[in-house]
């Protein structure tokens, strides 16, 4: 784990933060919610077969712990493509307090008190914050989204629509399946190389007939290509598969699981107080 990452707790609710992000944020674990069965206990997904009332209660626990407004939590709808959406006042609450009307794997905004949520259970969720423009984003990328370049597209959208500065932008790559555990057949690296070219080769390791793909590393490389400074990119280095005691891993659970969220929320004041 990167030494800027810290595990925190608020009662039974356990989550991770990064000291580099001076705004309210979290990468949740599966601990500290009210859901039961395969979704025990901090499931934040409405599509997991969980009782929706339990999911809403989990969001209240999360909102209280982070001091973020429940009614303004706004969600990605993850379809493994590369659409990035700018969240405006009309779309605040999408997925929680108003019906989901987009298919978007990444959200960005400069609205204060507007938590953005992206979901993971092996996939790579990255939180982004630019202190100059006071804008933020969340991006979900599995291998398909990674190959489509959704993370650099999220940076591009923050820059074009919100005035984010690439050389001040901070990005934190959250817990996700590590190169240690993301084993694939040849189809995945072949598809990624077809889409992205030779730049992905250093992030693919052959292991007998199988391959191990470093999605965290590829996304960090793509951030640098998009103009984000290396020192402003934090790779949490947390593997959801290795740490399946505290995270749901899609692969470990074979899909019988809840889902975690990466959440980020700007304050209403220009100068952020350091988030502790
Ligand atoms: Zn691992």
């Amino acid at each position: 784990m990167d030494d800027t990452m810290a595990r925190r707790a608020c009662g039974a609710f356990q989550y991770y933060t990064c000291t580099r992000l001076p705004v309210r944020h979290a990468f949740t674990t599966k601990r500290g919610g009210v859901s039961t069965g395969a979704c025990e206990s901090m499931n934040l997904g409405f599509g997991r077969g969980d009782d929706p009332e339990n999911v809403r209660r989990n969001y209240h626990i999360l909102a209280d712990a982070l001091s973020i407004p429940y009614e303004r939590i706004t969600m990605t709808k993850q379809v493994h493509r590369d659409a990035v959406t700018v969240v405006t006042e009309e779309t605040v609450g999408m997925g929680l307090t108003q019906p989901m009307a987009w298919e978007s794997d990444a959200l960005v905004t400069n609205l204060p008190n507007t938590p953005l949520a992206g979901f993971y259970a092996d996939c790579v969720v990255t939180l982004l914050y630019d202190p100059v423009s006071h804008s933020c984003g969340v991006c979900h990328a599995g291998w398909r989204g990674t190959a489509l370049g959704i993370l650099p597209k999220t940076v591009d959208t923050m820059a074009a629509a919100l005035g984010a500065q690439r050389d001040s932008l901070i990005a934190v790559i959250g817990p996700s399946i590590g190169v240690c555990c993301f084993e694939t057949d040849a189809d995945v690296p072949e598809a990624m190389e077809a889409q992205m070219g030779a730049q992905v080769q250093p992030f693919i390791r052959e292991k007998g007939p199988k391959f191990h793909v470093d999605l965290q590393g590829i996304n960090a490389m793509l951030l640098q290509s998009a103009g984000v400074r290396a020192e402003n990119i934090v790779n949490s280095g947390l593997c959801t598969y290795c740490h399946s005691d505290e995270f749901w891993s899609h692969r470990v659970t074979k899909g019988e699981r809840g889902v975690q969220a990466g959440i980020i929320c700007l304050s209403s004041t220009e100068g952020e107080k350091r988030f502790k």
Side-chain angles (χ1 to χ4, degrees):
M1 179 171 83
D2 189 89
D3 62 10
T4 64
M5 300 296 296
R7 191 214 258 132
R8 297 179 184 278
C10 179
F13 172 49
Q14 294 184 14
Y15 59 103
Y16 283 82
T17 61
C18 176
T19 56
R20 293 294 312 280
L21 281 178
V23 293
R24 290 166 290 176
H25 69 283
F27 292 102
T28 67
T29 68
K30 59 184 178 184
R31 294 177 182 155
V34 300
S35 299
T36 57
C39 291
E40 183 180 348
S41 59
M42 183 47 87
N43 170 45
L44 293 170
F46 286 102
R48 308 302 319 165
D50 196 358
D51 178 346
E53 199 46 47
N54 285 343
V55 182
R56 280 190 280 271
R57 285 176 65 192
N58 290 340
Y59 273 103
H60 278 292
I61 292 169
L62 168 73
D64 289 347
L66 299 181
S67 297
I68 58 176
Y70 169 90
E71 66 282 357
R72 293 180 63 84
I73 295 173
T74 308
M75 301 178 181
T76 53
K77 183 177 181 187
Q78 301 180 176
V79 293
H80 295 280
R81 292 208 291 268
D82 62 349
V84 181
T85 301
V86 180
V87 175
T88 58
E89 200 55 48
E90 294 69 42
T91 51
V92 165
M94 195 73 78
L96 186 62
T97 55
Q98 60 171 311
M100 188 71 86
W102 56 44
E103 290 189 342
S104 188
D105 286 78
L107 305 176
V108 300
T109 197
N110 56 9
L111 291 175
N113 291 317
T114 306
L116 306 180
F119 304 103
Y120 63 97
D122 283 343
C123 285
V124 180
V125 165
T126 301
L127 300 180
L128 305 112
Y129 172 64
D130 173 42
V132 172
S133 61
H134 201 58
S135 57
C136 70
V138 63
C139 173
H140 159 265
W143 72 264
R144 287 183 179 84
T146 299
L148 290 168
I150 188 171
L151 187 51
K153 285 175 184 170
T154 306
V155 173
D156 292 346
T157 303
M158 285 180 71
L162 305 173
Q165 303 297 302
R166 294 167 197 269
D167 62 357
S168 57
L169 196 144
I170 300 160
V172 181
I173 296 168
S176 37
I177 194 163
V179 66
C180 40
C181 300
F182 187 40
E183 187 172 275
T184 73
D185 291 319
D187 58 331
V188 171
E190 279 169 9
M192 295 192 79
E193 206 171 324
Q195 198 112 30
M196 307 174 73
Q199 62 178 344
V200 296
Q201 283 170 359
F203 301 95
I204 295 165
R205 299 178 195 165
E206 268 190 74
K207 248 192 161 180
K210 299 285 189 176
F211 295 83
H212 282 223
V213 180
D214 184 1
L215 291 181
Q216 297 173 342
I218 293 170
N219 278 292
M221 178 266 292
L222 291 173
L223 282 166
Q224 280 201 67
S225 303
V228 181
R229 298 161 70 104
E231 62 267 35
N232 288 341
I233 300 168
V234 175
N235 182 351
S236 70
L238 280 161
C239 174
T240 44
Y241 192 109
C242 287
H243 297 278
S244 62
D245 55 327
E246 62 176 337
F247 294 107
W248 282 295
S249 161
H250 181 74
R251 288 202 161 196
V252 170
T253 59
K254 298 185 169 54
E256 289 289 308
R257 57 167 176 81
V259 71
Q260 292 102 192
I263 304 241
I264 189 162
C265 180
L266 301 171
S267 81
S268 54
T269 52
E270 270 299 310
E272 288 282 355
K273 289 199 179 73
R274 193 155 195 85
F275 176 63
K276 300 276 184 196

